[in-house]
Amino acid sequence: MWNGIIAAYKDFFGVKEGENIVTLNEGNTPLIPAENIGKMLGGLKLYLKYEGLNTTGSFKDRGMTMAVTKAVQEGSKAIICASTGNTSASAAAYAAKAGLKCFVLIPNNKIAMGKLAQAIIYGAEIIPVEGNFDDALRIVKEIAEEGRVTLVNSLNPNRLLGQRSGAYEVCDQLEGDIGYLAIPVGNAGNISAYWAGFNDYYKAGKIKALPTMLGFQAEGAAPIVEDRVFQEPETIATAIRIGNPASWEKATAARDESKGLIDKVTDEEILETQKLLASKEGIFVEPASAASVAGVIKLSRKGYFQKDKTIVCVVTGNGLKDPSVVEVEKESKVYGVKTEGIKELIYKSLGSEEND
Ligand code: F0G
């Protein structure tokens, strides 16, 4: 049985037998070949690390199991985070499991409904903040410094430690070297954690070469790409609507040490790619997650990739978290409500007038 990332990689996490672990059996997510999109791009070896299948539907669970395990060991009774949605959902779930109180500060009206629903049902105390994620993060940092609540944003080093497991899994699943690792960038923790994870595996002799790191921000929230703070970040991909990432320097180090890049994609490219992933590969991801694949498509058009090398795109969150971006009302009523003539409609769509 899979018992979560801490049990699976305990040598890397320094956790000993018999220690109390708070886990929701996160991790072990599938690495799915994206053969159809790979073919469309002229024969690229493309894989999707589908993080939407973690227990709360995003990669955040990998870091949260570590952060909450340590918080409990240190005697903490409450955790706090700022979030564009996924961190709050994950924090709330692990707090529920551990019996801790959980406070989440969210940008007012700017998080996806599914994520908010999760935080509510897991029992977190939700405090909407007048401002964006960066404002909320500043507030939780100040409160956590007083020591009564444990911060579980990625400024907590245990978060990034746990998130390294994504890199370990990708290496184990491919049983070989990875050419490129493409990933969305918001607060810039995950790209930093993957890079650290690949370095752990490299030092342990489990991979022979390090991948090139490719990070992608949304055009309206691209502080690292443009090397300036965005005071008013704006994008349909609310998960990465961040103007002043906490792990900025770690992310640029990952980029530079791996000879990679951090680039931006437009909201239009993000939404087109989200549809492409669903309609060509059967994978429904949230908009922020599609940024990694949108970025790979953009680079492939410029002839960036060496074709013999594998490309892994981390798709970070489940599409069901944010159904508002799909035109459900319109698409479900294309045919109008029917009582008869249904078979004829189907046969017409199949391109056959035949009846039986
Ligand atoms: N993808 C999704 C689905 C996310 O929720 C996030 C971050 C990212 C990508 C970017 O990862 O911040 O490590 O660079 N979400 C955070 C949150 C900010 O509050 O849930 P990052």
Side-chain angles (χ1 to χ4, degrees), residues 59-60 83-87 185-190 239-240 242 286 288 316:
F59 72 95
K60 303 289 180 179
S83 181
T84 56
N86 281 322
T87 298
V185 175
N187 212 21
N190 213 22
I240 52 172
I242 294 173
E286 65 170 287
T316 44

Side-chain angles (χ1 to χ4, degrees), residues 263-282:
D263 199 354
K264 58 188 174 183
V265 288
T266 64
D267 278 6
E268 205 174 21
E269 288 170 315
I270 286 173
L271 290 177
E272 262 172 33
T273 306
Q274 185 193 30
K275 272 189 200 152
L276 196 71
L277 282 166
S279 61
K280 298 289 178 209
E281 300 293 351

Side-chain angles (χ1 to χ4, degrees), residues 340-356:
E340 52 190 28
I342 294 169
K343 184 169 75 175
E344 289 73 17
L345 273 177
I346 292 167
Y347 283 11
K348 199 170 160 211
S349 178
L350 285 170
S352 155
E353 297 301 312
E354 258 176 72
N355 286 339
D356 62 334

Side-chain angles (χ1 to χ4, degrees), residues 238-259:
T238 52
I240 52 172
R241 186 173 164 269
I242 294 173
N244 188 13
S247 297
W248 193 319
E249 273 149 36
K250 286 197 186 87
T252 52
R255 175 194 67 193
D256 298 342
E257 286 164 27
S258 74
K259 300 191 174 60

Side-chain angles (χ1 to χ4, degrees), residues 33-47 276 280-281 297 300 307 311:
E35 285 144 341
N36 296 325
I37 297 179
K39 246 181 239 157
M40 264 179 46
L41 301 179
L44 294 182
K45 286 198 272 182
L46 195 63
Y47 291 85
L276 196 71
K280 298 289 178 209
E281 300 293 351
I297 294 173
S300 79
K307 291 233 169 109
I311 308 167

